[in-house]
């Protein structure tokens, strides 16, 4: 058996080494600690709180904890009303809630999934304060006397669905479904739109990404291959819009594209001079998907050009010369030698543009009309009116982006991505 | 032990002195812009001058519900009086975040002695709500469209007549008001009863489908006047105050109002629940003053929203800067209010989520 190596102070060498390494690690950690704490507070925690909001059902357990628990244990079916004890604890807890004026909050909460409950709870809250709890009449009768609604087994079966400690109801709605007594069901055709919005957001974002590649590639090539002076001038032209406020750029597209806008006036003027030219002007260029694609392609262009440019800048021009000197045509030299070298830049730009586009809000809201809005516009709307659903949509979007990122990593490889 | 008692005594004494100290500063929450300015001129300036009270204004009305929730959770309520739309007032009242107000004992009676509850009438839509103004969502149209052959839309259902009145229409993006008009023009005069049923909702949507190709969905209420001015649309619906500033203040001669079936909505005050007693007393005193007959009429000098009291209507005068008669621009003026729909808040509280989903789905189709 070999002897354990000791350091000068008599400790085994590997222990000393481990300790020194640990100290270094701690020092490094302390250095990044401010950033780390900042990220946890401003980024990780909000994300988890949104995830939590999408499944949380705390309101129910704050106001009627016992009733909710009994409901969960109750073997609900569509034919028998719940036992008296559920009515009794519901009455007791609703009385407390009504006195604290919290009954309405519960009604609003349930009403998100079961229409009409808001006013039922409001009515109940007004009435229950006048009930005589000791008169021997069964609570069920009291409830039925107030409103037959409370006597229906179906009412309670539905309440049971939405009274679990954590609810999937928001996610069900986020994909145009509904939790019912019989489990998950799709909503009727004429009430589905969120799934469509997801598909549209993904589709348009992908299209915008492709457009920025197609249009940005030559620009990036020019930037990398002309004289420094011209390149600087070009670079300013790329960056100038980048420095302009997003809102201003979007609004200017509106000025350009609307029915009486600059472009359409031009088309109409041309049509007057040469009748067969631009027949049918003014065209609908605004408040549709076309407008979103045009405006967002322009706005996101720098995010594509800059990574491509910085990669192209590092490609040695002698590669192309070498290829040509060995007999390659211009096209072969470009396609077999130059282009593969730029893929890492395209990859970096593409993922930047795509992820930014998926979460875009202002531009679709202003120029998109109804068929151009994105899922984020819906999320923003719901975060005001129905936080749970808004949170579920946001979580879903996050999840989809993560999956796409994973697929992207598999196909293109994230390690291949270069920002310069 | 003794020390603690002394400390407690000193502390309670300190609290007692602050409690009896007069409240010199009230924090009011409103919407900013021309509307808040009208409140300042009509209510808070004269009151402050008389009573030596300073007002701090917070322009947070649009987020009032969420912010009040947060304040209530932390127990530190920094607002004294909050201007909200009626629907928000009902929600805040339901959630126990607003204080119930007894109209007859806590608000001023009309000059002729009519108790406040009668003077406000139906407009007290919640026990916490102190009505202030009536505004409406209504239509403006261009009067210089050649294809209309000199015709002008005169009833709400002319909106749906694209043969007689070709051109695009701008509407607000939400379901409220639009569903009412759809139902009304689909022939269901009892708008809310019909909208409670699936068939009624579908009929309203079908009515809109008939002119969907002619619709532009405005991103916000401020967009509509712009679209009308630019000639992007020939008609547009938005809040009457927006159309008033286009027609009267910026003097657009080619836009007119269509008041038929305007949808009334209310805006008013709520007092946050659980205010400290002395602040509550101070704010109740102010709100009694600010919602009396004369003050509500005064506000209409500065903005074209109708006073919520019956007794204020005869006192509506001229615009303070433009010098024009305000009465014809008021949604509550008898000539404009021949046929109106008052937003049914109870209905929307119950059916909002359902109808919103249908409306959005219909828009996306």
């Amino acid at each position: 058996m070999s002897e354990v190596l000791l350091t000068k102070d008599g400790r085994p060498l590997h222990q000393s080494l481990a300790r020194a390494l640990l100290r270094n690690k701690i020092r490094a950690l302390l250095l990044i600690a401010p950033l780390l704490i900042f990220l946890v507070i401003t980024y990780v925690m909000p994300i988890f709180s949104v995830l939590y909001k999408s499944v949380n059902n705390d309101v129910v357990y704050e106001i009627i904890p016992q009733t909710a628990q009994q409901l969960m244990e109750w073997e609900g079916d569509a034919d028998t009303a719940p036992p008296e004890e559920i009515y009794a604890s519901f009455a007791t807890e609703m009385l407390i809630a009504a006195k604290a004026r919290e009954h309405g909050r519960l009604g609003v909460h349930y009403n998100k999934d079961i229409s009409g409950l808001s006013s039922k709870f409001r009515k109940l809250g007004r009435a229950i304060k006048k009930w005589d709890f000791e008169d021997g009449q069964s609570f069920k009768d009291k409830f039925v006397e107030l409103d037959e609604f409370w006597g229906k087994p179906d009412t309670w079966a539905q309440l049971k669905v939405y009274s679990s400690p954590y609810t999937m109801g928001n996610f069900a709605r986020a994909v145009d479904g509904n939790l019912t007594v019989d489990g998950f069901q799709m909503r009727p055709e004429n009430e589905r739109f969120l799934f469509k919005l997801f598909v549209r957001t993904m589709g348009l974002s992908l299209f915008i990404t492709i457009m920025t590649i197609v249009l940005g590639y030559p620009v990036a090539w020019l930037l990398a291959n002309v004289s420094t002076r011209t390149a600087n001038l070009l670079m300013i032209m790329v960056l100038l819009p980048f420095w302009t406020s997003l809102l201003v750029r979007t609004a200017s597209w509106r000025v350009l594209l609307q029915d009486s806008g600059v472009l359409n006036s031009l088309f109409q003027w041309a049509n007057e001079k040469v009748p067969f030219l631009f027949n049918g002007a003014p065209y609908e260029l605004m408040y549709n998907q076309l407008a979103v694609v045009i405006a967002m392609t322009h706005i996101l262009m720098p995010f594509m050009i800059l990574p491509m440019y910085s990669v192209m800048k590092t490609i040695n021009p002698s590669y192309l010369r070498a290829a040509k000197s060995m007999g390659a045509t211009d096209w072969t030299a470009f396609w077999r030698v130059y282009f593969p070298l730029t893929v890492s830049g395209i990859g970096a730009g593409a993922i930047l543009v795509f992820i930014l586009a998926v979460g875009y809000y202002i531009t679709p809201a202003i120029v998109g009309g109804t068929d151009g809005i994105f899922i984020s516009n819906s999320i923003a709307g719901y975060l005001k009116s129905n936080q749970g659903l808004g949170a579920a949509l946001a979580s879903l979007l996050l999840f989809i982006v993560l999956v796409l990122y994973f697929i992207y990593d598999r196909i293109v490889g994230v390690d291949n991505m270069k920002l310069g | 032990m003794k020390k603690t008692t002394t400390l407690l005594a000193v502390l309670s004494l300190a609290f007692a002195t602050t409690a009896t100290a007069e409240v010199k500063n009230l924090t009011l929450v409103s919407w900013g812009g021309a509307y808040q300015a009208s409140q300042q001129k009509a209510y808070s300036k004269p009151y402050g001058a008389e009573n030596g009270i300073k007002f701090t204004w917070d322009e947070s009305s649009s987020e009032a519900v969420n912010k009040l929730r947060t304040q209530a959770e932390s127990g530190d309520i920094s607002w004294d009086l909050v201007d909200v739309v009626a629907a928000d007032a009902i929600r805040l009242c339901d959630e126990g975040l607003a204080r119930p107000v007894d109209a007859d004992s806590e608000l001023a009676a009309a000059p002729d002695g009519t108790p406040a509850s009668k003077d406000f009438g139906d407009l007290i839509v919640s026990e916490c709500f102190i009505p202030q103004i009536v505004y409406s969502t209504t239509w403006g149209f261009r009067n210089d469209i050649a294809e209309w052959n000199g015709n002008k839309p005169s009833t709400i259902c002319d909106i749906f007549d694209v043969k007689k009145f070709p051109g695009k229409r701008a509407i607000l993006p939400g379901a409220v008001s639009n569903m009412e008009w759809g139902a009304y023009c689909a022939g269901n005069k009892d708008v809310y009863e019909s909208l409670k049923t699936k068939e009624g909702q579908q009929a309203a949507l079908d009515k809109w489908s008939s002119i969907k190709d002619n619709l532009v969905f405005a991103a916000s209420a401020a967009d509509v006047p712009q679209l009308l001015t630019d000639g992007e649309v020939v008609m547009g619906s938005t809040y009457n105050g927006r159309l008033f500033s286009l027609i009267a203040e910026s003097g657009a001669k080619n836009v007119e109002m269509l008041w038929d079936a305007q949808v009334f909505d209310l805006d008013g005050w709520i007092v946050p629940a659980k205010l400290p007693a002395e602040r509550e007393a101070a704010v109740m005193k102010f709100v009694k003053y600010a919602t009396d007959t004369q003050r509500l009429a005064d506000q209409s000098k500065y903005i074209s929203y109708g006073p919520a009291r019956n007794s204020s209507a005869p006192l509506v005068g001229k615009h303070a800067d433009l010098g024009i008669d305000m009465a014809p621009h008021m949604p509550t003026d008898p000539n404009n209010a021949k046929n109106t729909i008052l937003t049914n808040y109870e209905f929307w509280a119950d059916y909002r989520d359902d109808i919103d989903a249908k409306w959005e789905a219909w828009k996306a189709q």
Side-chain angles (χ1 to χ4, degrees), chain B residues 180-234:
Chain B
E180 277 96 331
W181 288 322
Y184 185 83
C185 290
N188 296 311
K189 299 293 168 202
D190 193 345
V191 167
Y192 291 106
E193 273 313 309
S194 79
L195 284 177
K196 278 180 187 164
T197 64
K198 282 205 158 44
E199 299 75 40
Q201 294 167 2
Q202 196 53 48
L205 286 176
D206 288 346
K207 192 70 201 175
W208 281 111
S209 297
S210 67
I211 58 162
K212 198 170 179 196
D213 292 341
N214 292 61
L215 291 180
V216 171
F217 294 88
S220 72
D223 265 7
V224 177
Q226 192 59 47
L227 290 166
L228 276 168
T229 321
D230 291 352
E232 290 291 296
V233 297
V234 296

Side-chain angles (χ1 to χ4, degrees), chain B residues 298-315:
Chain B
D298 284 351
Q299 192 185 2
S300 59
K301 280 185 210 156
Y302 309 101
I303 199 139
S304 65
Y305 294 128
R309 278 177 186 264
N310 279 329
S311 59
S312 299
L315 303 177

Side-chain angles (χ1 to χ4, degrees), chain A residues 27-40:
Chain A
R27 202 176 297 150
L29 200 68
L30 280 177
L31 273 175
I32 63 156
L35 180 65
L36 196 68
I37 294 167
F38 179 78
L39 275 182
V40 167

Side-chain angles (χ1 to χ4, degrees), chain A residues 36-85:
Chain A
L36 196 68
I37 294 167
F38 179 78
L39 275 182
V40 167
I41 293 175
T42 61
Y43 191 68
V44 180
M45 271 168 34
I47 285 179
F48 276 96
S49 89
V50 164
L51 286 175
Y52 178 70
K53 267 193 187 137
S54 63
V55 293
N56 127 19
N57 208 8
D58 287 351
V59 180
V60 174
Y61 283 79
E62 246 169 62
I63 300 175
I64 50 164
Q66 204 188 342
T67 316
Q69 210 148 31
Q70 284 170 343
L71 265 180
M72 293 318 288
E73 285 158 15
W74 172 55
E75 303 268 330
D77 63 68
D79 306 313
T80 39
E84 175 67 13
E85 53 168 5

Side-chain angles (χ1 to χ4, degrees), chain B residues 315-345:
Chain B
L315 303 177
V316 170
K318 288 185 189 310
H319 190 280
D321 306 321
L322 302 175
I324 52 169
D325 254 333
M326 286 304 276
H329 296 285
M330 291 287 165
T332 46
D333 188 74
N335 283 322
N336 300 335
K338 283 177 195 146
N339 179 26
T340 63
I341 301 172
L342 174 61
T343 306
N344 183 336
Y345 301 101

